[in-house]
Amino acid sequence: MSTLIKDRVTILNTYPYSDSSLIVKALGKLSGNIDIIAKGIRKKSDSFILQVLNDYELTLYAPREGELHLLKESNLTQERHYQNPKNWATALCGAELMQKQLISPDENRQYYELLSSFLDFLIDLDAEPLPVFWRLLNRIIHLQGLELKTCICSSCRQKKPEYAYTRHDARFYCQRCTQELAQPRDLHILSEEAGRILFHLDHIGNHLHELKLSKSTIQEINDYFEDYYLAHNRKTLKLKSLSVLEQFYI
Ligand SMILES: [Zn+2]
């Protein structure tokens, strides 16, 4: 018999499997990112089915080499409802982002708590939700030990509104330093709106009500984070749910 594990998890995604089972991607407080098979669960009543973005206390059989965790028991510990479809779509972006993270076991709890506070914050938020996702992204970057200060010029190190960035290394420059760049190859000049959001990103919670986001600004900031991710992780950050969320904007 395999070992039993008890863990509190947030459900990130689910996929139907065979006639009655479900494959579940979850972020566990102790276990980090795990894949679970819930056998026969779709034949049970709705209240048993694990729902995306909710938290459960799970009892699982630990996987043997190359296998998935097997669900034994589940208890709902936190249900999350999003009245606003934009907030819900933003919450899904956070869940998809978490699935892509390689988390070292001693940081499982930090990632779990980061996601929980992100998901909880969005429930009653009555303002633009998307910057909250960018803040999550920025916090994950910090957890990975990388430094991303979106309010400091890479050249003069002063706290100034960012004016532009170079795409290959995702470094920001203020207006004066941009003019002094020797070879401004692949330079992207930021729109005023994108520059302002990036400048306030660490404390964006205080500015959400002032923001009116246009689709072009959103794409600009999403592109920035993609460039950053590629430059530092050498892999692309393509989130399906983020393209869905962009559809909410004009
Ligand atoms: Zn500067």
Side-chain angles (χ1 to χ4, degrees):
M1 207 64 173
S2 316
T3 325
L4 281 176
I5 305 171
K6 249 192 199 311
D7 198 3
R8 180 163 170 153
V9 309
T10 306
I11 307 297
L12 305 178
N13 211 343
T14 62
Y15 308 89
Y17 179 73
S18 74
D19 283 347
S20 60
S21 301
L22 207 59
I23 302 274
V24 178
K25 295 207 169 273
L27 181 67
K29 198 171 186 173
L30 303 171
S31 332
N33 268 324
I34 48 173
D35 292 336
I36 303 160
I37 180 154
K39 285 189 177 162
I41 200 168
R42 283 159 60 218
K43 291 217 166 124
K44 296 185 182 176
S45 72
D46 276 2
S47 58
F48 279 100
I49 293 188
L50 303 174
Q51 304 279 0
V52 172
L53 305 178
N54 284 348
D55 274 27
Y56 297 84
E57 171 100 355
L58 300 184
T59 310
L60 303 162
Y61 292 106
R64 277 179 295 233
E65 190 79 28
E67 290 181 348
L68 306 180
H69 288 72
L70 175 65
L71 180 69
K72 181 171 186 281
E73 252 171 44
S74 67
N75 284 305
L76 180 67
T77 50
Q78 190 180 356
E79 203 167 9
R80 294 188 177 95
H81 284 295
Y82 297 91
Q83 303 290 340
N84 182 334
K86 243 191 207 176
N87 293 23
W88 171 73
T90 306
L92 290 178
C93 289
E96 190 182 348
L97 178 66
M98 280 300 175
Q99 285 174 62
K100 306 232 171 209
Q101 304 309 311
L102 281 176
I103 307 172
S104 71
D106 58 327
E107 288 177 337
N108 286 338
R109 191 193 181 104
Q110 279 172 287
Y111 278 83
Y112 169 83
E113 282 169 0
L114 191 56
L115 180 65
S116 287
S117 63
F118 166 78
L119 295 176
D120 293 343
F121 187 81
L122 289 171
I123 292 176
D124 293 321
L125 179 66
D126 185 21
E128 277 300 345
L130 187 47
V132 186
F133 171 76
W134 294 324
R135 183 177 63 180
L136 174 72
L137 203 48
N138 198 21
R139 286 180 176 169
I140 288 178
I141 288 168
H142 283 268
L143 269 182
Q144 290 169 339
L146 296 166
E147 178 143 50
L148 172 59
K149 282 276 175 212
T150 56
C151 56
I152 291 173
C153 170
S154 296
S155 180
C156 65
R157 308 301 300 170
Q158 287 180 41
K159 191 168 178 176
K160 282 182 182 178
E162 311 293 1
Y163 178 75
Y165 77 95
T166 38
R167 296 196 61 185
H168 69 284
D169 59 3
R171 279 174 181 268
F172 284 120
Y173 297 95
C174 69
Q175 188 164 10
R176 223 190 72 202
C177 294
T178 301
Q179 285 155 8
E180 288 166 2
L181 279 178
Q183 280 181 309
R185 68 184 175 111
D186 69 3
L187 192 73
H188 175 82
I189 309 279
L190 291 160
S191 70
E192 213 178 300
E193 194 182 32
R196 195 169 53 239
I197 291 169
L198 289 165
F199 185 71
H200 291 299
L201 197 61
D202 281 346
H203 309 284
I204 199 72
N206 304 332
H207 299 272
L208 294 175
H209 290 276
E210 305 152 22
L211 290 174
K212 277 252 173 285
L213 289 176
S214 64
K215 194 169 193 157
S216 63
T217 302
I218 289 165
Q219 281 165 345
E220 210 181 337
I221 297 181
N222 287 341
D223 285 350
Y224 169 75
F225 278 111
E226 274 185 29
D227 288 334
Y228 182 89
Y229 217 77
L230 191 61
H232 292 85
N233 294 313
R234 298 209 172 76
K235 57 182 180 188
T236 54
L237 176 74
K238 280 274 178 225
L239 302 178
K240 269 187 227 150
S241 49
L242 201 51
S243 325
V244 173
L245 183 56
E246 282 180 9
Q247 309 299 315
F248 284 90
Y249 294 88
I250 42 167

